[in-house]
């Protein structure tokens, strides 16, 4: 947010007063004493009664008074109705004009004066002044418009209606290449005016983007890199505009990455680096710009900041360490930028990031684990990392945080392990390394993000691993915890993952011991509920698990099936038109499996399943149609 009341208001130098008398000019040395209430009031009265040709001394008096006590003087100006005569002074375009604009800029520093400025009709003549060539008039006009727009809906709307932003944008574009100091000051004011105009207003920011402001501002950053005030104004502008998704493509078409990295390398002050970070973070959300930033050398800059701040306890260094490492992780979210930095697992950046994991600094541990999770987004990378011993580093990190309990580090390390466990060839290696044993230590966690990731990690590990699925599926404490989390309605992700892991334990083990542990733990009702999920994959997983329960231990599960209304659920799945073919197929398989239970058999008969199944014999899916015929035969034989 740009406050022109603080950073864009320069005091005018006092100069000899040139007064026009009958067409001739007399030069008078101006010495203005401290303005009193009496002579301020007199000046205001004189101003109201005077013509534009004889008011310059009054304007100087007002400027002096505003410099001494802005709030009180502004109140007097409003009280005496002086704003109403300002449009005429602005329209005259003489030596009074820049002073009149300056007075408006000064009074608009006060929030209570912005609406009165709009109501007095000052915006149209101010916008008209933007078309003149005089730099002093342009400077004061830009200040006035910028201050009126500051945190003022009325001011912004009036400037929008008058077309002021477009004219200012054109000025900036035409002046961008000039290195004259006066032009630099004007550009700074104009950039600040546009920021006050569009701050916290998505539609006005989008308007500036359509005008092509972004390429112009990027050019300013390059041409005026030595102009601190203008550079900072551009950075704040970028920070505002970069939040809009529509800006990313335009930023990507410029050399913004090179300019920001070049500027970053020059900075030594914490505040200046923070300003650049605030621009880099939203820009780095775009995959194209991520790669541009990597190519421009941002990663090396970030690693240098980490090295410089890692051992410091100063608040600003701790903040920079966090920002740098977080931004590093963000750059790795892009597939191309991630692969470029991975370099087949031999890249220097990748190796540096790995060294963060065993660090004693929690922020680096977090960033290192998240970086590994991001590198582990394709099978080739995952296989390489598991083969080079990264799993052990993560397990050691997790083991340290069983007691230390840093939730963000736990979550990050579990995320990395989950991703690494996706390739089939990694599962047995990771199980052998003791991943499941370490992960189970976090069953006691009450933090949903940790619960969610540990469930996902275990589910990935046991996929196709029958022995591991049986070992975990007969772990009473694990199953009890899963059943508990299946009821975590406040945390849909945890609830869904618990159901999926419960189903996976049965599906991958195909073990009667696992089935019995799940039944005894009260898990059957949750699997029946899971069969009604809005997600087809979860429905299907539940139906397959329920089918295995019925096939392996129907007698033990019978009571739970009845209590959970399994048959009614299956009837609904078969009659619903939008049920996927896989759901209909597995529902019929399950119907056949429960026919050996007398109470379930009676329910099937009472709901006229034969009629439902008979209608599916003409289903467009041949597998469903064939299963419908087999199921109808089975139901008919047992009717």
């Amino acid at each position: 947010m740009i406050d022109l009341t603080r950073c864009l208001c320069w005091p005018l130098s006092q100069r000899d007063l040139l007064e026009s008398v009958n067409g001739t000019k007399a030069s008078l040395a101006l010495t203005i004493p401290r303005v009193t209430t009496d002579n301020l009031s007199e000046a205001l009265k004189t101003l109201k009664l005077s013509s534009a040709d004889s008011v310059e001394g009054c304007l100087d008096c007002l400027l002096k008074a505003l410099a001494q006590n802005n709030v009180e003087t502004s109140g007097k100006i409003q009280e005496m109705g002086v704003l109403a005569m300002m449009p005429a002074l602005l329209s005259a375009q003489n030596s009074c004009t820049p002073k009149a604009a300056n007075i408006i800029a000064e009074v608009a520093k006060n929030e209570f004066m912005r609406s009165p400025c709009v109501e007095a009709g000052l915006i149209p003549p101010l916008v008209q002044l933007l078309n003149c060539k005089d730099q002093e008039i342009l400077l004061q006009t830009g200040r006035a418009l910028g201050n009126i727009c500051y945190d003022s809906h009325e001011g912004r709307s009036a400037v929008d209606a008058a077309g002021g932003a477009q004219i200012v944008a054109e000025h900036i574009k035409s002046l961008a290449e000039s290195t004259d100091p006066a032009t630099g000051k004007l550009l700074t004011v104009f950039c600040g005016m546009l920021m006050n105009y569009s701050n916290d207003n998505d539609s006005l920011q989008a308007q500036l983007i359509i005008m092509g402001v972004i390429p112009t501002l990027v050019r300013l950053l390059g041409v005026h890199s030595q102009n601190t005030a203008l550079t900072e104004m551009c950075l704040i502008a970028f920070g505002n505009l970069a939040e809009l998704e529509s800006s990313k493509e335009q930023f990507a078409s410029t050399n913004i990455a090179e300019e920001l990295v070049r500027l970053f390398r020059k900075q030594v002050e914490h505040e200046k680096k923070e300003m650049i970070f605030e621009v880099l973070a939203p820009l780095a959300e775009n995959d194209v710009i991520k790669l541009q930033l990597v190519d421009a050398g941002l990663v090396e800059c970030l690693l240098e900041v980490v090295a410089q701040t890692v051992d410091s306890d100063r608040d600003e260094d701790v903040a920079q360490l966090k920002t740098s490492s977080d931004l590093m992780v963000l750059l790795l979210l892009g597939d191309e930028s991630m692969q470029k930095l991975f370099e087949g697992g031999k890249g220097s950046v990748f190796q540096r990031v790995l060294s963060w994991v065993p660090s004693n600094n929690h922020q680096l541990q977090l960033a290192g684990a998240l970086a590994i999770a991001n590198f582990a987004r394709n099978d080739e990378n995952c296989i390489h990392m598991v083969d080079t011993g990264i799993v052990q580093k993560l397990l050691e990190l997790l083991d340290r945080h069983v007691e230390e309990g840093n939730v963000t580090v736990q979550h990050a390390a579990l995320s990395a392990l989950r991703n690494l466990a996706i390739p089939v060839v990694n599962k047995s290696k990771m199980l052998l390394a003791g991943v499941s044993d370490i992960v189970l230590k976090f069953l006691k966690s009450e933090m949903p993000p940790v619960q969610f990731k540990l469930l996902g990690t275990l589910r990935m590990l046991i996929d196709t691993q029958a022995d591991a699925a049986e070992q975990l599926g007969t772990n009473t404490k694990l199953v009890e915890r899963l059943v508990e989390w299946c009821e975590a309605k406040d945390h849909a992700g945890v609830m869904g993952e618990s159901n999926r892991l419960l189903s996976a334990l049965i599906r991958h083990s195909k073990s009667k011991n696992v089935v019995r542990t799940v039944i005894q733990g009260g898990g059957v009702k949750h699997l029946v509920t899971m069969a009604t999920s809005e997600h087809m994959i979860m429905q299907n997983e539940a139906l397959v698990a329920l089918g295995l329960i019925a096939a392996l231990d129907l007698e033990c599960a019978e009571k739970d099936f009845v209590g959970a209304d399994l048959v009614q659920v299956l009837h609904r799945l078969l009659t619903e038109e939008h049920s996927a073919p896989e759901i209909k197929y597995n529902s019929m398989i399950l119907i056949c499996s429960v026919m050996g239970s007398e109470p379930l058999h009676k329910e099937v008969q009472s709901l006229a399943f034969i009629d439902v199944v008979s209608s599916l014999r003409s289903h467009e899916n041949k597998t469903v149609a064939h299963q419908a015929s087999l199921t109808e035969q089975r139901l008919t034989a047992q009717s």
Side-chain angles (χ1 to χ4, degrees):
M1 182 181 293
I2 310 302
D3 183 352
L4 292 184
T5 68
R6 289 194 293 270
C7 61
L8 294 184
C9 300
W10 292 278
L12 292 180
S13 59
Q14 297 295 342
R15 47 190 169 171
D16 288 345
L17 175 61
L18 297 178
E19 191 173 43
S20 176
V21 181
N22 296 325
T24 63
K25 293 182 179 178
S27 180
L28 302 176
L30 180 66
T31 305
I32 300 178
R34 180 171 180 82
V35 180
T36 66
T37 302
D38 289 340
N39 58 25
L40 172 60
S41 298
E42 189 63 32
L44 290 169
K45 289 176 185 176
T46 303
L47 187 59
K48 289 187 67 177
L49 297 172
S50 302
S51 66
D53 290 335
S54 59
V55 298
E56 197 163 359
C58 298
L59 296 181
D60 283 325
C61 184
L62 291 186
L63 286 169
K64 182 72 173 177
L66 285 165
Q68 291 174 5
N69 190 327
N70 191 301
V71 176
E72 183 180 340
T73 304
S74 295
K76 283 277 188 184
I77 288 172
Q78 183 182 13
E79 182 185 324
M80 297 290 289
V82 171
L83 290 180
M85 67 176 297
M86 285 296 179
L89 291 175
L90 295 171
S91 300
Q93 289 200 33
N94 54 30
S95 60
C96 293
T97 305
K99 294 182 180 181
N102 189 7
I103 288 171
I104 297 169
E106 290 298 315
V107 301
K109 289 178 177 181
N110 303 289
E111 183 179 356
F112 70 88
M113 290 297 293
R114 291 168 198 151
S115 291
C117 284
V118 176
E119 292 162 6
L122 302 185
I123 299 300
L126 283 170
V127 169
Q128 281 303 309
L129 286 179
L130 292 173
N131 294 308
C132 78
K133 304 294 184 182
D134 186 288
Q135 281 210 346
E136 182 65 17
I137 292 177
L138 289 174
L139 183 73
Q140 299 303 338
T141 300
R143 289 182 61 235
L145 289 171
N147 286 352
I148 292 172
C149 285
Y150 182 69
D151 202 20
S152 169
H153 173 71
E154 294 89 346
R156 291 168 183 169
S157 297
V159 173
D160 183 24
Q166 180 71 59
I167 300 173
V168 170
E170 290 300 324
H171 271 304
I172 295 174
K173 188 174 183 180
S174 66
L175 297 171
E177 303 297 330
S178 172
T179 55
D180 178 66
T183 302
K185 181 182 282 191
L186 182 58
L187 284 169
T188 305
V189 168
F190 278 163
C191 287
M193 178 266 166
L194 289 184
M195 291 311 96
N196 279 2
Y197 169 73
S198 63
N199 189 55
D200 287 336
N201 189 308
D202 287 357
S203 63
L204 294 182
Q205 288 174 356
Q207 181 191 93
L208 295 184
I209 292 168
I210 292 170
M211 290 178 190
V213 165
I214 287 173
T216 301
L217 292 177
V218 174
R219 195 159 71 253
L220 287 182
L221 200 63
V223 174
H224 299 272
S225 59
Q226 303 305 314
N227 186 330
T228 303
L230 182 53
T231 297
E232 290 182 6
M233 197 61 68
C234 289
L235 289 173
I236 298 170
F238 293 146
N240 285 347
L241 297 174
E243 297 291 344
L244 263 67
E245 194 56 41
S246 59
S247 74
K248 304 294 198 298
E249 186 176 340
Q250 206 168 111
F251 272 117
S253 67
T254 71
N255 64 335
I256 184 66
E258 294 175 20
E259 292 294 352
L260 288 175
V261 172
R262 176 190 55 75
L263 194 62
F264 189 86
R265 285 196 176 107
K266 289 170 50 181
Q267 303 308 318
V268 292
E269 296 178 32
H270 167 76
E271 291 78 9
K272 301 292 176 59
K273 288 184 177 180
E274 279 299 312
M275 290 183 72
I276 301 173
F277 276 137
E278 287 177 11
V279 180
L280 289 169
L283 286 180
E285 292 171 2
N286 178 274
D287 284 353
V288 174
I289 300 176
K290 279 186 180 77
L291 187 58
Q292 291 174 350
L293 289 169
V294 169
D295 288 340
L298 177 60
V299 172
E300 289 73 17
C301 293
L302 298 177
L303 290 173
E304 186 177 339
V305 172
V306 169
Q308 290 170 349
T309 58
V310 65
D311 297 321
S312 174
D313 293 329
R314 295 168 59 203
D315 288 345
E316 57 264 37
D317 288 338
V318 172
Q320 277 199 23
L321 175 68
K322 178 177 179 357
T323 306
S324 298
S325 54
D326 284 348
L327 187 52
M328 183 79 189
V329 172
L330 184 57
L331 292 175
L332 294 174
L333 282 172
D335 288 338
E336 285 188 78
S337 55
M338 178 270 288
Q339 281 302 103
K340 184 157 194 166
L341 295 173
F342 188 66
E343 292 185 68
K346 297 177 181 177
S348 61
V349 173
F350 173 65
Q351 296 300 328
R352 288 278 294 276
V353 168
L354 283 190
S355 71
W356 294 353
V357 177
S359 162
N360 290 321
N361 184 295
H362 286 180
Q363 175 59 34
L364 282 192
Q365 293 171 0
L366 169 64
L370 287 174
I372 292 172
N374 286 342
F375 280 123
R377 290 209 313 278
N378 64 53
D379 284 4
E380 186 178 351
N381 289 6
C382 288
I383 292 168
H384 175 85
M385 285 193 282
V386 169
D387 287 344
T388 52
I390 283 176
V391 169
Q392 197 57 45
K393 291 180 183 290
L394 291 170
L395 293 182
E396 289 169 2
L397 176 61
L398 273 176
D399 212 26
R400 291 167 63 182
H401 284 277
V402 172
E403 298 304 327
E404 288 184 35
N406 186 297
V407 174
T408 56
V409 175
Q410 293 171 0
H411 179 266
L414 289 167
S415 297
L417 288 172
R418 180 197 177 280
N419 286 1
L420 291 170
I422 292 174
V424 175
V425 296
N426 281 356
K427 299 179 191 297
S428 58
K429 296 174 185 176
M430 293 177 68
L431 286 165
L432 195 61
V435 172
S436 61
D437 295 334
I438 296 293
V439 171
L440 287 173
K441 291 183 179 182
F442 294 91
L443 276 179
K444 62 184 180 181
S445 174
E446 295 299 331
M447 304 304 296
V450 175
Q451 296 167 355
F452 181 75
K453 286 300 180 183
L454 78 86
L455 291 166
T457 303
L458 291 176
R459 185 166 62 82
M460 285 297 123
L461 279 173
I462 65 169
D463 189 10
T464 71
Q465 305 297 306
D467 290 344
E470 177 156 19
Q471 183 180 357
L472 290 172
T474 52
N475 183 321
T476 305
K477 288 185 178 179
L478 171 61
V479 172
E480 287 176 352
R481 194 66 159 140
L482 292 181
V483 170
E484 178 186 338
W485 287 340
C486 283
E487 297 174 356
K489 291 184 172 59
D490 292 338
H491 303 287
V494 173
M495 186 168 68
E497 276 294 341
S498 298
N499 278 291
R500 295 192 74 186
L501 180 54
L502 205 58
S503 164
L505 292 170
I506 295 169
R507 290 183 293 108
H508 295 303
S509 69
K510 298 180 176 60
S511 161
K512 186 172 183 176
N513 290 331
V514 173
V515 165
R516 187 153 292 184
T517 303
V518 172
I519 294 170
Q520 291 171 350
V524 171
K525 65 180 179 180
H526 296 298
L527 292 173
V528 174
T529 301
M530 182 181 169
T532 65
S533 168
E534 60 182 330
H535 305 291
M536 188 195 76
I537 189 169
M538 289 181 66
Q539 285 184 294
N540 217 35
E541 289 173 356
L543 290 170
V544 172
L546 290 167
L548 286 167
I549 291 174
L552 293 170
D553 204 341
L554 178 59
E555 183 180 353
C556 190
E558 180 182 84
K559 183 177 178 181
D560 288 334
F561 280 161
V562 173
D565 295 326
L566 174 63
V567 174
Q568 289 92 323
V569 168
L570 295 174
H571 187 272
R572 187 162 70 249
L573 292 175
L574 287 172
T575 53
E576 285 179 351
E577 290 186 13
H578 65 269
S579 289
E582 299 93 323
I583 302 303
K584 293 186 182 295
Y585 175 83
N586 283 320
S587 295
M588 288 187 285
I589 293 288
L590 186 50
I591 283 294
C592 294
S593 298
V594 301
M595 292 297 287
S597 161
E598 184 177 347
L600 294 171
H601 187 175
K602 287 181 180 179
E603 283 191 57
V604 171
Q605 288 183 315
S606 68
L607 289 174
F609 263 83
I610 289 182
D611 295 338
V612 177
V613 171
S614 177
S615 68
L616 292 174
R617 284 188 302 159
S618 57
H619 196 277
E620 60 184 3
N621 184 288
K622 293 182 179 180
T623 304
V624 171
H626 179 66
Q627 184 58 44
S629 296
L630 296 176
T631 304
E632 184 181 25
Q633 293 172 20
R634 177 77 181 272
L635 294 176
T636 302
Q638 292 188 263
S639 61

